Amino acid sequence: MVVRSATPLDAAVVASVYLESWRAAYRGLLCDEELEVQAQMRASYDWGAAIAETNRIVVVAEDDGIVGVAECEHTPLTGGHPWLHMIYVIPSAWGTGAATALLDKALAAVDRSRHQTVWLRVVEAQARARRFYERQGWRLDDEMPPATNGLFRLLHYRHDV
């Protein structure tokens, strides 16, 4: 397994990997019709722009092709906190260590001279994702109130780097 920074040439494949993984993660939480509506909305995400952002890092995991992606805001432009925006791995690569490798690479990019903590939001109903983050040392941040993504309640987790 190789984890590396994404390049603009990866954008189309990253978009495909993201959507495949996103669908798998939300299958069972949304009815099939709503799953496809939401997936189509997410299909418009501009991975090329995300890869080019100077305050973010997009990393990919490769194992005979790209199998996962992570996006992290490692140096916030507004003086806020670094955020892990997403980690998605295609189902055929679940359990291979791809998500852990992506997480490690993204966290390594955080500017530790200015930030000692990284935050993320996770859907409360996604028990699998919550268990993954908790195994990786993330903890629920009770000081930050729950949020919503318009569909589900989101919980805030934090990790000291």
Side-chain angles (χ1 to χ4, degrees), residues 64-152:
D64 197 25
I66 295 174
V67 298
V69 60
E71 181 181 4
C72 181
E73 183 178 12
H74 58 87
T75 51
L77 296 177
T78 61
H81 306 294
W83 284 88
L84 178 66
H85 290 284
M86 64 180 83
I87 292 181
Y88 284 98
V89 175
I90 59 174
S92 63
W94 289 357
T96 66
T100 300
L102 286 164
L103 181 60
D104 290 347
K105 184 79 167 183
L107 292 180
V110 172
D111 182 353
R112 287 176 172 82
S113 67
R114 295 188 328 161
H115 305 284
Q116 289 75 45
T117 304
V118 179
W119 279 265
L120 66 81
R121 291 183 299 195
V122 65
V123 171
E124 183 177 36
Q126 288 185 324
R128 185 176 189 277
R130 292 179 60 198
R131 283 191 308 271
F132 167 75
Y133 290 119
E134 289 166 4
R135 279 194 313 269
Q136 301 303 315
W138 293 76
R139 62 187 188 281
L140 193 58
D141 189 334
D142 294 326
E143 293 178 21
M144 294 184 84
T148 181
N149 63 4
L151 296 169
F152 299 101

Side-chain angles (χ1 to χ4, degrees), residues 1-2 4 10 13 17 60-68 90 93 98:
M1 175 97 35
V2 173
R4 62 171 176 80
D10 296 322
V13 175
V17 164
V60 294
E62 290 183 308
D63 187 17
D64 197 25
I66 295 174
V67 298
I90 59 174

